[in-house]
Structure formats: C-alpha cells, structure tokens
Amino acid sequence: MASERDVFELSGPLHLTSVDWTDVDHRRSVAACMVQGVYIMQRDRQENRHGSQALAPSWWKFSNFDLQSQLIDDADSSIFGAIYKYKPDPLPNYTVSTNSIPSYIVAFRGTITKGDAFSRDLELDLHFVKNVLHQSSRFEIANQAVRNLVASGNQNIWLTGHSLGAAMAMLAGKNMAKNRVFLESHLFNPPFVSAPIETIKNKKVKHGLRIAGSFVTAGLAVAVKMKNNHHQRNNEFLELAEWVPCLYVNPRDHICSEYIGYFGHRVKMGNIGAGGVERLAAQHSIAGLFMDAIGKESHEPLHLIPSANLTVNLKRARDLKEAHGIHQWWRRDQQLESRTYR
C-alpha cells in the first residue's frame, strides 16, 4: 500500500496552484518536488505501479514539467535520478522572464531504506564518507547526463538533490563550475563529513572547538604545502567561488547541520582577525591532510565549497526523520532564515 506521503494530492504543495518563478519559496518547492518525484519513481518500480497507478508523475506535472529520461544505476537497475524538461504554458505569463524558468531540471534522490535499492545506496553513502563518491559508476552516469545537457547548448539547467542525491548534485555542479559553467543548484540536507559540533548547546564550547579545529587544520595545510598538488587544489577551490549553490539544512539534522557552523564560523574568525586562517582551513579536511602528510593519495573534500546561499529551517523538528526529510522544504509553515556566504 502506498504511503500517504507518496501521494501528491495528500502531501504535496497544494497551495501552489500556479508557480511564480520569481518567488524563492516557489522555486525551492518545485526543486524539492522534482527530487520527490525521483523517490516515488523508484518506489513505483518497487511496488510495480505502472500507468494510471503510478504516483510519481503528479510531482512534476503540477509545475509544467515532463519527464525526459530516468537515470538508472548500472549496479542494481534502481532509478536514482531524472531529467525533467519544462513544457511552456500555452497561456504564458509574459510578466515573468523566461530566463527565470529552468529549461531542464536534473534531480537525484537520496538513500531509500526499504527495498532492493538499500544495499547499493548504503554502499554509496560509505563512498561519500570515504571521499570517493566521484569514483562510483552512479556518479559517472549522473555527471555525464549533466555534461551532455550542457554540451547541447542548454545553460538554463537546475541541479537538485536530497541527502546522498544532494552530494551527487554538488559534485556535478562543482565539475561544471570548474569549467566556468555555473548551474543553479538546490541541495537539500547535503551531507557534511565532520564531528557533530553544531549539536553542542554551549556556544562558548562550540566556538572554542571550531577555533581550535581551524588552527589545527590550517597548520596541517601549511605543513604539507610542498606537496605537488597542494597549490593546485587551493586554486581549484578558489575557482569555485563564483558558483553559489542553494543549501537547505535543518539544525537538528546532524547529517547536514555542520554547514551552519562551516559558513558561520568564517564570519566569526574574520571578526577576531583570523580570517586568513579560516580561509585556509575551510579548503581542507584533517583526514585528507593527514593522508597527504604520510605520503598517501588523498582527494579533494567532496563536501567543501567556498560559496553558498544557506537556508536554515528554524522550526523545531520532532525527530531526526523529520529534520532530514524532503517534505519540510515545500511546506508553508516553516521558519526559514537565509544568508549568502561568498
């Protein structure tokens, strides 16, 4: 039996009777629904729901999108992503610039805990923790799909994803940004590999730990600066600065909440005259620097970025499941606070 949360008419953004593409709340809601569409496509597949019984199409049709193609994992044949194409309204609102409407949206789902996709999703979660998600065949499929869209001359492309899917979208967006193609990106509950410092309630202790961490990380970065690829990595990180993805996080979600401290701490370090230390520390992970220090190959931290528009949901979630869920991002009764960091 289908979950009530899978049914658009029961849990979708029914308040969006029409989409105002100049409204940031509408844009966020549409992006989140595209991700939900991928989740439901995979659940439709698992439950053998086809044709009129399929629940997924309602999640993209309400905003005038058609499904152009599914992205299929070659390891388990699960649906992990989708490319949606905008279908212009026959009675368009000419007061809205078409530049504000995405021609295509590429969406990626996160981990599904039930069914035959779980073991593969869990494997890729571990790939992310180990900083090698970019080496997986699933990401190669995702990245190639984005590259093909861009190569076809389409620049008005959105990337969006939730949890593991947000990590996939972030990686694809970073690759495009390194080629000077800056795609609008909406990343929901993107994972951040770090000790959960943001969960500490004592602000002085939290701030003290972050300061200590910054000086340790920056010190390690200086210690290994003679490595052949070190300066190249610094340059690659700075080249991403013009790409400003939209990140959506919940403070009670320890999977993504460290982005709050990651960006907020930069401002505090600047206020105490240690901005240079933090700019260096923000580019590196201690684990990666340690690997460099002992002569083993390490990879650029997948989750670290120089710029972002960070939106925090301040409404208290009942539990981790709600705090990490995709549904919160199209609901009207949220307390959202946004800030752009560059």
Side-chain angles (χ1 to χ4, degrees), residues 234-252:
N234 289 348
N235 292 335
E236 288 178 352
F237 187 83
L238 295 176
E239 287 172 357
L240 296 174
E242 291 184 49
W243 181 53
V244 189
C246 298
L247 273 56
Y248 305 95
V249 305
N250 190 305
R252 296 200 70 189

Side-chain angles (χ1 to χ4, degrees), residues 236-307:
E236 288 178 352
F237 187 83
L238 295 176
E239 287 172 357
L240 296 174
E242 291 184 49
W243 181 53
V244 189
C246 298
L247 273 56
Y248 305 95
V249 305
N250 190 305
R252 296 200 70 189
D253 178 13
H254 64 268
I255 294 173
C256 67
S257 62
E258 279 306 301
Y259 273 111
I260 300 172
Y262 174 70
F263 286 108
H265 183 58
R266 293 188 193 176
V267 177
K268 294 177 181 177
M269 289 291 279
N271 291 340
I272 64 173
V277 171
E278 181 56 23
R279 280 192 292 274
L280 180 58
Q283 303 176 38
H284 303 281
S285 68
I286 290 180
L289 289 169
F290 178 74
M291 296 295 285
D292 277 343
I294 63 175
K296 292 190 176 182
E297 182 183 5
S298 66
H299 301 284
E300 171 191 342
L302 305 183
H303 58 288
L304 301 185
I305 49 176
S307 306

